[in-house]
Amino acid sequence: MSLWVDKYRPNSLTKLDYHKAQALHLKNMVQQGDFPHLLVYGPSGAGKKTRIFCLLRELYGPGVERLRLEHMNIQTPSNKKIDITTVSSNYHLEVNPSDAGFHDRVVIQELIKTVAQTHQLDPSGQREFKVVVICEADCLTKDAQHALRRTMEKYVATCRIILVANTISRVIPAIRSRCLGVRVGAPNKEEIINILQSVCRKEGLSLPNELAERIAVQSNGNLRRAILFLETCKVQQYPFQPDQKVASHDWEIYLKDTAKMIVLEQSPQKLLQIRSRLYELMIHGIPSEIIFKGLLQELVKNCDMQLKTQIVEKAAFFEHRIHLGSKPIIHLEAFVASFMAIYKKFMEATVADLF
Amino acid sequence: MSHDIRSYFPPKAGSEAKGKCKEMKVNVERRHRKRQLVCIDSDSDEDILPSQVKKHERKSGISVSCVRGVTQKNSKSISKPELKPIDVADVFGNSQIKRTASKKDEVKKVMKNVTPQLENLHSDSEFVGTLQELDERKNFCKKENEITPVKEKQKHALHTSEFSKSALDSYKIPRNAMKETPNKTDIKLLAQKEESRDKETTSLISQPETSPDLPKKIKGNEYLSTENGTQQEKAVRSPASVKRCDISSDEDVYERKRQHAMQYQRYLQREGPKNPGGKEVPQGRPGCLSGLVFVVTGVLETIDREETSSLIKQCGGRVTSSVSRNTNYLVVGEEPGPAKIEKAAKLNTPHLTEDELFALIRARSCLPDTERLSKDSEEVIKKDEKIKHKDNLSRNDITHGTRIETSKSIKKNIKKEETEMPVLEKQDISLSPPSARNTTFQRHSLWADKYKPVSTKHIIGQQGDRSNVKKLIKWLQSWHSNHSGKKKLVRPSPWAKDETGSYFKAALLSGPPGVGKTTTAHLVCEELGFDVVEFNASDTRSKKLLHEEVSELLNNKSLSGYFQGAAGRKPTENHVLIMDEVDGMAGNEDRGGMQELIQLIKSSRVPVICMCNDRHHPKIRSLTNYCFDLQFSRPSVKQIGGAMMSICFKEGIKMSPETLNDIITGTNHDVRQVLHHLSVWSVKDKQLSFENIKEESLKAKKDVKLGPWDVVKKVFSADVHKSMSIHDKSDLFFHDYSLGPLFVQENYLGVMPHKSRNNRKRHLELVAQTAESLSSGDMVEKTIRSKSAWSLLPAQAIFSSVLPGDLLEGHFTCQINFPAWLGKNSRRSKFQRLLQELHGHMRLNISGSKEAVNLDYMTHLRDAISGPLIKDGVDGVPATLHVMQDYYLLREDIDSLMELSLWPNQKDPMSLVDSKVKAALTHRFNKGGIMTPYSIVKIKNSASKSSQDLEFDGDEQDVGEEEEEEEGITRDAMIKVKKRNTTTQNPAPGRSGAKRRKVDNKEVRKKNDKHERK
């Protein structure tokens, strides 16, 4: 009894629901028998992995569905042992080097190189090359990306690499130029609604359009999220009501509450409380970018235009610093502190104007 | 009879009778007259030899050591005092300072004995001045190298056995006048003494106590032996009691009552004796105090109360706790109990001081006042000339038999003063090897060795009743009775205060360097008669070595027990293993040493004493479970100061107490360090000017590493900033540059900046600026760490410490916290690890990344798993199992899923699930098994095992075994899983998922049926 999101995942390029032109394009490319390295990028929940899986199936046939998990042990030059889990079929290998933290370079060098160096056992079977799927390519360190460069060129005869990334801004240009970029954009509202409706049809349920639309809006272009919301709604209440409440994620609520607290009171003591809440968010593994975004969106709602520019500027400044620094909490806190200072000043000025 | 004989043999060449000689003679005369006669025969025989030696010395002027060598060769019987190399030293004039110091001290002692009450009257400078004068005078005398008529008289007096009291007095005055400069106080003393003597004609016992004069004392003692006891007692009693009564009547009763509470506090805090071992405690004849009842109050000067009462009991007296009619004496020390004094005054109970008590014991057991004797003899020795020596030698030979006894008693005195009196030390050479060793030390050794405490009583800050030393002694004493296997010992709770440590086979002394841990351990062992086997950081202490060498050694039996035939002591009893500096057991050399040490302690048959600096070190922590924990703290400035002042005095360094205190605080209460500093200065200059001292004491400031708490306090404190340059401020950062910024970041919000003056807007602005600066600091830190750009540290210092401090300088309004970041970060990485594991398991069925699992799946998955259980109870179990099967989740994954998806102020959904249902789920899961496409068994086991090894490294084995058992159970379950996996021919999960599900369903159904039938 999988969740719907996994149950109704399309498994061939033709069955894809949106970006159909692109799907066709890919299909044509595969049918020629060869394709360059790919860099698939797009926001989370847009269907990148799904698309890649469909592509692989198109390429190798149903054999790619025979997946297995493998644990690999790699030793770093400093004698540290790294465990890496890979998902592989006979034709492809999927790996997430950033699981190894900043030792990802070793993973690239050892693992991918060995795979790339070996030829397919029976070339008569399907293709002459294997495919290596590297997840979260934008999280690779610069070292790892540089290590990848040469491998990509040298073993192009035996191996194709598909990089999956949320954004290409963190992928070095050298890699970008070696790949064919495939952007998988998030589905728009109508597309999401259609998909939700089709899921409900397959489940034998009837979904009011209003609810579907609300879910689509709340999912913010993330199809995975939308389908998960739908299922939650079903668990909560069926038959659906058009005005049914769509429960958002716990972390979103928590983040919003935090933002509200900031607007409510500005003082060092409050900042201390905010800090502990921010810590809580970080502990739960919410990426700092998302925290930043969530905070900013909530905070600017209470500001006039002039203040907005100031605050957005501050946010951009500290968000950039998160990537330069090592402890995100410091920068988040600095942002909150500057917001508090600006906001307090603004409020006092307006209060003074009033009287 | 003997007197007659002696008068036939007048001393040779006008030689003076030496103190030693005199004292010997007196002893002999008093005790065994016959024996003395025999001795005198030998006198004439050996007479020549010593004189030759003396000649030698005079002619060639060979060094002291040479002379010493000769004398040593000669025989034991050649007594030491005569060999005083002081004369030689005098010739060279090198050791002048030392000699004067010793002299001073000696004189001081004498004076102390004379008038304990009056001592307080002397102001320090006056006193020292007098002493100096004395020294000069003495030196002068020595150089003159001639016999004064007075001395001749003195000598003469010795040989006549009877002399009238008036003769004594008349004799005493000129001697005093010669010896001590006409000082006001001295004269006063003398006058007083004489007065008292005149008053009480029979008070012969008090005379030896009050007069520093040798002949008179001898006389007194002689008298004593013939005198009858009751008379003496009266004599003692009368003057003292009169005085005390006056004092107590003067005191205002009300005021005392008011101070009562305060006094009680003081009583609780009071220390041990001030000058332990400072005087010789008389070994009274048993029964000499029989019938007398004593009450002890206050702290005596040289012995503590227990010792006092045991001394009295030894002598047959009784000690009671409160004053009653039956009480004969009240022994009064410092800070006496006012109630006792009062009551004693009411009942007219006489008071005794410590000295008076000793005197009483001596008197009643007919002992000579050896202390006085020896001291006086020393004085005379020093003053008198070489001819005297010769004569003395011969005499000493004569009285050899009795001499040893007295010299032993002298030795005790010397022990205390040995460092300051090289002369006397040489006396010991022939008698006791240990002190000989000390002598060789003394010239060239560090002060830290030179002034090493020689008994446990001298250890600074360890004199109290509950001190670590006392605890250690008790522990060591009772070790063998505790661990003989007969007693059943209970492990004390780690929080309860453990006074005896009887459970433990080892003791762990921990504390900062230079407070005397090693010294304590060695001295305690020495005093209790244990042989010490020591391993310290200079020895390799690997597991192998410890196992081979030490364990062998601990099973050895010391043969000394057999040789000495020590009664009642098991041969193995008397050694102790000392593991010094156990925190230094590190690196490849000593690998596994700590483990082995713990094993060793467990099986040890001898006490083990371990020492370390930091007992909270992770390595030591495992050891502390097996050790009686004794923590040494730094002694207070006062405690160190007292001891250091006396050393300064001995070494002739002039230093004000304030400066000394500066040094002590500067060195962070490290006694050894203080000694080093003093010794360096003593080489440079004996008398430092005030400026010099100031300057030097600044230098003495040990670079004390501040703890991060202190650092952060200083960073934000406005007061401290006034006297700091920017360099000082950035230095604060460098105390701990990894932890410091975290502390600043954690605590900057608790500071109330003085700049803002309660303006909240301004305050917030400052906070914002600070936060921004901290964020810059973090950037710099990242650069430093990732690019090894350590030269950027000063920049980080500015951003992370100096700027925040400047912006927010003020005061803390709340307590300083430990950085939460560390804890939060480790929790974060734990969550990440769980998440990664979860993602790894789910990976085949989902397309999302780890992040997506966290952000999107988490809540829904949790609901999908816990929902059926909450709603349907046991019936919901299959539904839950299906979800788990689809996502290849294990039972443990549910727990981590719950943990990951739980937010503050939320309820754990699993807590809503009935525990029965949970048990059913677990049971069903283990029975039915879930086929996973990944191999759990190997990875899990190896991972948990390795973590176990790390975690339980050095911990109890029991825990480890338990864990292993548990693991065994799960392993069984896993094996089943594996079997099923293989039976299904390892199909691709994607394709055969449905098939397998069917199988599972069947099984579940079967089980359900079974369940229902039951």
Side-chain angles (χ1 to χ4, degrees):
Chain A
M1 201 166 68
S2 295
L3 298 170
W4 294 348
V5 66
D6 300 314
K7 204 167 165 185
Y8 301 111
R9 182 180 301 129
N11 57 3
S12 93
L13 283 172
T14 47
K15 284 184 193 163
L16 290 171
D17 292 297
Y18 53 93
H19 301 325
K20 288 195 172 158
Q22 190 192 46
L24 196 67
H25 196 69
L26 286 174
K27 193 177 164 132
N28 291 337
M29 186 181 74
V30 169
Q31 270 168 355
Q32 281 176 6
D34 202 357
F35 65 89
H37 301 301
L38 294 181
L39 171 58
V40 182
Y41 61 98
S44 179
K48 301 183 292 294
K49 280 271 191 66
T50 309
R51 210 154 283 247
I52 290 168
F53 199 73
C54 294
L55 183 87
L56 287 175
R57 199 166 185 275
E58 192 71 37
L59 197 61
Y60 295 110
V64 281
E65 284 177 358
R66 299 162 67 103
L67 294 171
R68 57 181 177 269
L69 277 173
E70 272 169 16
H71 292 284
M72 299 218 175
N73 274 313
I74 301 164
Q75 199 163 25
T76 63
S78 56
N79 283 333
K80 198 186 172 223
K81 283 195 179 134
I82 304 168
D83 263 346
I84 278 286
T85 318
T86 59
V87 176
S88 56
S89 71
N90 289 337
Y91 309 104
H92 85 287
L93 174 87
E94 188 187 321
V95 66
N96 184 2
S98 44
D99 281 350
F102 47 75
H103 293 295
D104 52 0
R105 185 174 60 97
V106 192
V107 177
I108 299 276
Q109 282 174 338
E110 299 290 320
L111 188 88
I112 297 175
K113 233 159 116 186
T114 37
V115 173
Q117 275 171 342
T118 50
H119 287 260
Q120 279 292 53
L121 268 180
D122 56 336
S124 60
Q126 300 257 340
R127 309 281 171 198
E128 285 189 345
F129 54 83
K130 288 184 282 189
V131 172
V132 175
V133 180
I134 297 176
C135 307
E136 298 178 34
D138 49 348
C139 295
L140 290 180
T141 58
K142 291 277 178 305
D143 285 345
Q145 295 191 28
H146 285 297
L148 199 56
R149 268 164 75 162
R150 187 77 189 122
T151 316
M152 287 172 91
E153 276 182 357
K154 204 170 171 188
Y155 303 106
V156 77
T158 54
C159 156
R160 298 288 179 277
I161 289 173
I162 300 179
L163 298 165
V164 186
N166 280 342
T167 160
I168 50 167
S169 63
R170 271 177 283 172
V171 179
I172 57 170
I175 301 272
R176 267 187 267 167
S177 85
R178 282 168 173 76
C179 298
L180 173 70
V182 179
R183 181 173 180 275
V184 183
N188 58 29
K189 205 167 84 183
E190 283 71 38
E191 282 162 348
I192 291 181
I193 292 171
N194 283 339
I195 291 166
L196 291 179
Q197 291 291 4
S198 77
V199 167
C200 281
R201 232 174 293 129
K202 281 175 196 159
E203 280 287 316
L205 313 167
S206 72
L207 177 69
N209 228 7
E210 293 88 344
L211 182 63
E213 198 176 327
R214 288 232 312 287
I215 293 174
V217 170
Q218 194 169 356
S219 66
N220 203 12
N222 187 335
L223 186 59
R224 180 190 297 124
R225 201 172 289 175
I227 299 175
L228 285 165
F229 277 143
L230 179 68
E231 195 173 354
T232 317
C233 287
K234 192 249 158 185
V235 171
Q236 277 171 349
Q237 192 181 15
Y238 187 80
F240 292 118
Q241 298 296 316
D243 55 347
Q244 195 176 341
K245 202 177 151 246
V246 181
S248 53
H249 291 289
D250 294 334
W251 60 266
E252 280 181 318
I253 299 167
Y254 198 79
L255 188 56
K256 271 187 185 153
D257 287 349
T258 311
K260 277 176 197 152
M261 280 172 71
I262 299 173
V263 180
L264 218 61
E265 189 193 326
Q266 295 86 33
S267 71
Q269 284 68 38
K270 205 73 193 168
L271 186 54
L272 213 54
Q273 289 173 23
I274 302 292
R275 179 200 285 170
S276 65
R277 288 180 77 93
L278 290 177
Y279 267 133
E280 201 59 45
L281 283 164
M282 315 233 44
I283 285 171
H284 279 82
I286 312 297
S288 48
E289 297 93 335
I290 291 182
I291 299 177
F292 238 113
K293 209 171 154 188
L295 280 183
L296 186 65
Q297 276 174 349
E298 205 61 29
L299 290 177
V300 290
K301 279 180 191 166
N302 302 289
C303 304
D304 69 352
M305 208 50 216
Q306 194 198 355
L307 212 54
K308 261 182 197 163
T309 52
Q310 277 185 51
I311 286 169
V312 172
E313 187 201 332
K314 280 282 173 203
F317 179 76
F318 286 112
E319 209 272 346
H320 177 57
R321 282 195 162 186
I322 282 186
H323 299 289
L324 299 177
S326 55
K327 299 183 184 75
I329 187 76
I330 292 181
H331 309 286
L332 274 170
E333 193 179 296
F335 167 65
V336 175
S338 358
F339 172 81
M340 280 182 167
I342 294 169
Y343 194 73
K344 186 94 181 165
K345 199 173 159 191
F346 169 75
M347 288 306 279
E348 281 186 5
T350 41
V351 168
D353 283 349
L354 281 176
F355 295 105
Chain B
M1 193 174 80
S2 60
H3 309 299
D4 297 331
I5 289 169
R6 221 177 272 176
S7 62
Y8 288 121
F9 294 95
K12 280 187 188 171
S15 66
E16 292 286 270
K18 284 225 137 195
K20 288 284 152 198
C21 244
K22 284 182 240 166
E23 136 198 337
M24 302 302 147
K25 215 190 291 167
V26 170
N27 283 339
V28 174
E29 277 170 6
R30 195 164 27 81
R31 288 189 187 162
H32 318 284
R33 296 194 173 205
K34 258 187 188 170
R35 196 160 143 201
Q36 196 193 10
L37 272 177
V38 179
C39 287
I40 287 172
D41 283 341
S42 72
D43 182 14
S44 57
D45 287 345
E46 285 187 13
D47 215 0
I48 309 150
L49 195 60
S51 64
Q52 273 175 342
V53 174
K54 283 293 146 192
K55 260 183 220 158
H56 239 281
E57 194 182 344
R58 222 184 284 163
K59 271 184 199 163
S60 53
I62 342 159
S63 66
V64 189
S65 62
C66 178
V67 176
R68 204 198 301 157
V70 174
T71 47
Q72 274 173 343
K73 220 191 283 165
N74 279 344
S75 78
K76 225 186 190 182
S77 64
I78 292 177
S79 69
K80 309 90 215 168
E82 286 67 44
L83 303 178
K84 294 215 154 166
I86 230 179
D87 300 319
V88 184
D90 236 1
V91 173
F92 294 115
N94 279 341
S95 57
Q96 198 188 13
I97 290 126
K98 218 168 240 176
R99 186 163 41 75
T100 51
S102 68
K103 240 354 188 181
K104 269 186 233 163
D105 207 62
E106 210 175 306
V107 174
K108 186 173 146 200
K109 285 255 157 61
V110 174
M111 286 177 68
K112 231 192 225 163
N113 290 338
V114 173
T115 55
Q117 312 97 307
L118 278 175
E119 200 183 43
N120 295 339
L121 295 174
H122 299 282
S123 77
D124 254 3
S125 59
E126 204 181 29
F127 184 53
V128 172
T130 319
L131 293 171
Q132 271 178 339
E133 272 178 325
L134 268 174
D135 291 335
E136 278 164 13
R137 186 132 185 148
K138 259 174 233 157
N139 292 342
F140 181 65
C141 282
K142 272 180 189 160
K143 272 170 202 156
E144 274 199 316
N145 215 8
E146 56 182 32
I147 310 147
T148 59
V150 184
K151 278 175 192 160
E152 246 174 355
K153 214 185 199 172
Q154 199 178 355
K155 178 199 76 196
H156 184 69
L158 257 177
H159 296 286
T160 55
S161 64
E162 297 169 53
F163 26 135
S164 67
K165 208 183 159 303
S166 60
L168 228 165
D169 282 350
S170 67
Y171 166 79
K172 185 187 146 214
I173 296 163
R175 210 185 111 82
N176 264 334
M178 181 222 58
K179 201 175 84 184
E180 295 162 14
T181 51
N183 184 292
K184 239 190 194 172
T185 51
D186 281 9
I187 288 170
K188 222 195 270 171
L189 284 180
L190 288 175
Q192 208 182 43
K193 267 179 257 154
E194 250 156 32
E195 256 176 35
S196 65
R197 208 174 295 128
D198 287 344
K199 272 181 201 162
E200 306 131 22
T201 44
T202 53
S203 67
L204 286 167
I205 186 165
S206 65
Q207 282 172 10
E209 284 308 308
T210 48
S211 96
D213 233 358
L214 175 71
K216 201 182 61 189
K217 205 189 306 155
I218 293 160
K219 180 79 172 75
N221 281 332
E222 275 177 321
Y223 251 94
L224 276 176
S225 58
T226 53
E227 206 76 30
N228 91 33
T230 47
Q231 232 177 347
Q232 293 162 13
E233 269 172 49
K234 271 180 204 161
V236 177
R237 203 181 304 170
S238 47
S241 61
V242 166
K243 218 173 276 170
R244 286 287 164 182
C245 286
D246 287 347
I247 291 165
S248 59
S249 66
D250 282 339
E251 274 172 18
D252 190 2
V253 180
Y254 287 107
E255 189 154 3
R256 258 189 285 130
K257 271 186 182 169
R258 202 158 48 85
Q259 288 173 345
H260 192 258
M262 212 176 72
Q263 271 168 342
Y264 179 65
Q265 281 304 314
R266 218 186 297 157
Y267 164 76
L268 285 180
Q269 287 167 3
R270 76 179 171 192
E271 286 251 316
K274 239 198 240 161
N275 188 11
K279 287 176 201 162
E280 192 211 338
V281 180
Q283 293 295 323
R285 184 167 53 78
C288 62
L289 296 179
S290 57
L292 297 179
V293 180
F294 292 83
V295 172
V296 186
T297 178
V299 184
L300 300 187
E301 195 192 342
T302 61
I303 54 177
D304 63 26
R305 274 172 83 152
E306 275 170 34
E307 280 177 290
T308 316
S309 47
S310 69
L311 175 71
I312 292 169
K313 278 171 195 161
Q314 256 176 24
C315 297
R318 236 161 34 94
V319 181
T320 54
S321 55
S322 62
V323 183
S324 73
R325 208 176 301 278
N326 297 331
T327 311
N328 296 62
Y329 295 108
L330 182 67
V331 182
V332 185
E334 256 174 55
E335 297 177 27
K340 281 178 188 156
I341 298 279
E342 201 179 322
K343 198 160 183 201
K346 238 184 245 167
L347 295 170
N348 258 340
T349 316
H351 292 213
L352 285 184
T353 62
E354 188 186 73
D355 290 330
E356 282 163 350
L357 175 72
F358 289 172
L360 182 71
I361 292 170
R362 282 195 192 102
R364 292 192 65 131
S365 57
C366 307
L367 273 180
D369 194 341
T370 44
E371 191 183 356
R372 192 61 28 72
L373 280 177
S374 61
K375 268 190 195 139
D376 279 20
S377 66
E378 284 153 23
E379 271 161 44
V380 177
I381 286 161
K382 280 178 191 160
K383 248 177 272 163
D384 291 350
E385 297 316 307
K386 285 166 188 168
I387 313 152
K388 249 190 307 178
H389 288 226
K390 198 165 64 181
D391 181 62
N392 221 339
L393 270 177
S394 62
R395 261 165 224 287
N396 268 325
D397 291 343
I398 299 165
T399 58
H400 175 62
T402 40
R403 232 205 70 78
I404 289 176
E405 208 178 298
T406 32
S407 65
K408 264 185 190 155
S409 67
I410 290 167
K411 205 179 95 196
K412 277 187 193 159
N413 270 338
I414 288 159
K415 254 205 166 161
K416 196 189 64 184
E417 301 163 29
E418 63 189 341
T419 44
E420 73 211 48
M421 289 188 204
V423 182
L424 283 178
E425 285 230 315
K426 262 159 230 151
Q427 292 182 329
D428 287 336
I429 292 171
S430 57
L431 276 180
S432 62
S435 57
R437 188 196 59 200
N438 281 349
T439 341
T440 50
F441 253 174
Q442 153 209 324
R443 291 272 160 98
H444 307 286
S445 63
L446 294 170
W447 285 16
D449 288 329
K450 195 169 162 189
Y451 294 106
K452 210 177 196 166
V454 288
S455 96
T456 48
K457 286 171 192 156
H458 297 295
I459 301 171
I460 294 174
Q462 297 292 334
Q463 282 135 16
D465 217 19
R466 291 189 171 178
S467 65
N468 285 330
V469 170
K470 289 275 157 60
K471 280 188 198 166
L472 188 64
I473 289 175
K474 271 182 204 156
W475 174 79
L476 208 52
Q477 269 172 342
S478 55
W479 197 91
H480 285 286
S481 61
N482 280 336
H483 296 282
S484 56
K486 283 165 199 156
K487 265 190 204 174
K488 188 83 182 155
L489 294 163
V490 189
R491 187 188 182 87
S493 118
W495 294 280
K497 214 170 180 191
D498 189 11
E499 286 292 326
T500 58
S502 52
Y503 172 79
F504 298 108
K505 283 187 153 184
L508 178 69
L509 314 186
S510 56
V515 296
K517 297 181 296 295
T518 311
T519 315
T520 304
H522 280 272
L523 284 177
V524 166
C525 293
E526 193 181 308
E527 288 189 5
L528 293 179
F530 283 87
D531 293 339
V532 168
V533 181
E534 186 185 331
F535 280 84
N536 57 32
S538 60
D539 307 303
T540 315
R541 294 173 293 186
S542 65
K543 185 174 179 179
K544 201 174 143 204
L545 181 124
L546 273 176
H547 188 71
E548 283 174 3
E549 298 207 359
V550 183
S551 57
E552 217 166 83
L553 222 139
L554 294 186
N555 290 327
N556 276 352
K557 297 191 176 189
S558 165
L559 284 178
S560 63
Y562 290 123
F563 287 127
Q564 290 161 4
R569 269 222 280 163
K570 271 192 215 152
T572 40
E573 264 186 16
N574 40 10
H575 51 234
V576 171
L577 175 67
I578 292 189
M579 298 293 301
D580 206 346
E581 298 151 33
V582 282
D583 42 3
M585 276 168 74
N588 288 330
E589 297 284 294
D590 298 342
R591 184 146 292 165
M594 197 60 78
Q595 281 317 313
E596 189 58 28
L597 180 60
I598 290 169
Q599 289 304 320
L600 212 138
I601 288 171
K602 278 186 188 166
S603 62
S604 171
R605 284 198 269 162
V606 299
V608 182
I609 299 176
C610 305
M611 273 167 263
C612 68
N613 287 132
D614 180 11
R615 71 173 283 285
H616 297 289
H617 193 273
K619 266 187 195 153
I620 306 294
R621 226 180 284 155
S622 54
L623 182 67
T624 47
N625 293 333
Y626 302 94
C627 290
F628 177 35
D629 196 8
L630 293 172
Q631 297 182 35
F632 282 69
S633 51
R634 296 192 172 91
S636 69
V637 175
K638 225 169 115 192
Q639 284 168 325
I640 302 178
M644 292 305 119
M645 275 314 265
S646 81
I647 288 170
C648 287
F649 183 65
K650 284 170 193 167
E651 293 286 342
I653 304 173
K654 281 189 181 160
M655 185 168 291
S656 70
E658 293 80 40
T659 336
L660 199 59
N661 288 351
D662 274 358
I663 299 166
I664 292 164
T665 42
T667 53
N668 211 5
H669 300 226
D670 181 337
V671 183
R672 185 164 33 199
Q673 195 77 31
V674 176
L675 275 174
H676 287 326
H677 277 293
L678 290 180
S679 93
V680 168
W681 292 352
S682 76
V683 173
K684 252 196 238 161
D685 213 348
K686 287 285 169 191
Q687 268 180 309
L688 292 165
S689 70
F690 186 71
E691 287 78 30
N692 271 343
I693 284 179
K694 263 258 159 118
E695 198 181 300
E696 293 284 337
S697 68
L698 270 180
K699 268 190 219 163
K701 286 248 155 64
K702 198 166 150 181
D703 261 339
V704 185
K705 198 184 159 203
L706 288 177
W709 271 273
D710 299 328
V711 167
V712 78
K713 208 179 274 176
K714 282 195 176 177
V715 163
F716 288 113
S717 157
D719 301 338
V720 177
H721 281 188
K722 278 173 198 155
S723 60
M724 283 174 115
S725 68
I726 189 165
H727 293 291
D728 295 334
K729 285 177 191 168
S730 76
D731 278 349
L732 285 176
F733 168 80
F734 284 100
H735 279 290
D736 189 343
Y737 53 77
S738 56
L739 212 51
L742 285 175
F743 262 92
V744 171
Q745 190 260 337
E746 178 71 29
N747 292 301
Y748 77 99
L749 292 176
V751 183
M752 176 54 75
H754 291 173
K755 272 184 212 161
S756 70
R757 303 196 187 289
N758 290 332
N759 181 348
R760 301 187 67 187
K761 192 180 81 185
R762 177 96 184 99
H763 188 180
L764 263 178
E765 271 169 19
L766 288 172
V767 166
Q769 282 175 27
T770 311
E772 191 176 336
S773 154
L774 285 174
S775 114
S776 311
D778 183 53
M779 266 166 58
V780 178
E781 189 182 354
K782 169 87 181 283
T783 316
I784 291 172
R785 304 270 170 182
S786 61
K787 296 183 181 159
S788 299
W790 293 97
S791 57
L792 288 177
L793 266 184
Q796 201 202 342
I798 298 292
F799 282 126
S800 296
S801 177
V802 178
L803 260 179
D806 257 9
L807 288 167
L808 286 180
E809 67 179 0
H811 62 273
F812 272 102
T813 52
C814 57
Q815 72 176 47
I816 297 169
N817 294 317
F818 188 78
W821 187 83
L822 296 165
K824 305 274 185 196
N825 195 41
S826 75
R827 260 193 91 194
R828 196 182 136 257
S829 39
K830 182 196 162 196
F831 273 41
Q832 287 294 324
R833 209 183 56 236
L834 290 177
L835 192 61
Q836 193 170 325
E837 206 179 328
L838 209 59
H839 178 233
H841 290 172
M842 294 163 68
R843 198 156 169 186
L844 285 188
N845 205 18
I846 62 166
S847 64
S849 64
K850 201 166 73 180
E851 212 168 81
V853 170
N854 187 25
L855 296 181
D856 299 330
Y857 274 96
M858 200 61 77
T859 326
H860 305 289
L861 203 57
R862 181 193 68 191
D863 293 343
I865 286 178
S866 65
L869 294 179
I870 297 169
K871 217 163 70 183
D872 305 330
V874 182
D875 298 336
V877 170
T880 305
L881 275 177
H882 276 175
V883 177
M884 286 169 70
Q885 170 64 55
D886 279 348
Y887 287 97
Y888 309 113
L889 295 177
L890 302 176
R891 177 68 182 86
E892 298 90 77
D893 289 333
I894 296 181
D895 295 335
S896 44
L897 189 69
M898 296 304 154
E899 196 179 348
L900 284 171
S901 59
L902 196 68
W903 288 85
N905 304 326
Q906 266 186 354
K907 230 182 166 187
D908 185 357
M910 283 310 261
S911 67
L912 297 172
V913 178
D914 196 28
S915 58
K916 258 188 207 165
V917 180
K918 265 190 233 173
L921 176 71
T922 314
H923 181 72
R924 207 69 68 75
F925 179 84
N926 286 337
K927 266 258 170 98
I930 278 188
M931 284 145 293
T932 52
Y934 44 88
S935 54
I936 328 153
V937 188
K938 273 188 220 158
I939 297 298
K940 279 267 154 175
N941 268 348
S942 64
S944 61
K945 259 209 171 155
S946 63
S947 70
Q948 216 177 53
D949 286 350
L950 286 174
E951 275 178 37
F952 294 100
D953 196 26
D955 259 350
E956 281 177 88
Q957 277 188 326
D958 312 1
V959 181
E961 278 166 16
E962 270 175 31
E963 292 268 316
E964 255 171 22
E965 269 175 28
E966 274 177 22
E967 219 176 47
I969 296 163
T970 54
R971 197 185 291 151
D972 287 347
M974 297 302 173
I975 288 167
K976 231 181 190 173
V977 172
K978 215 183 172 188
K979 263 184 204 161
R980 298 190 96 261
N981 247 346
T982 48
T983 49
T984 48
Q985 309 136 27
N986 203 5
R991 217 171 38 173
S992 63
K995 215 203 289 178
R996 239 188 290 152
R997 214 174 294 147
K998 275 177 202 161
V999 176
D1000 273 359
N1001 283 344
K1002 268 183 205 164
E1003 277 221 351
V1004 169
R1005 246 174 268 144
K1006 268 185 206 166
K1007 271 171 214 154
N1008 281 346
D1009 289 349
K1010 270 184 200 170
H1011 205 72
E1012 279 163 17
R1013 261 175 243 156
K1014 275 175 194 172

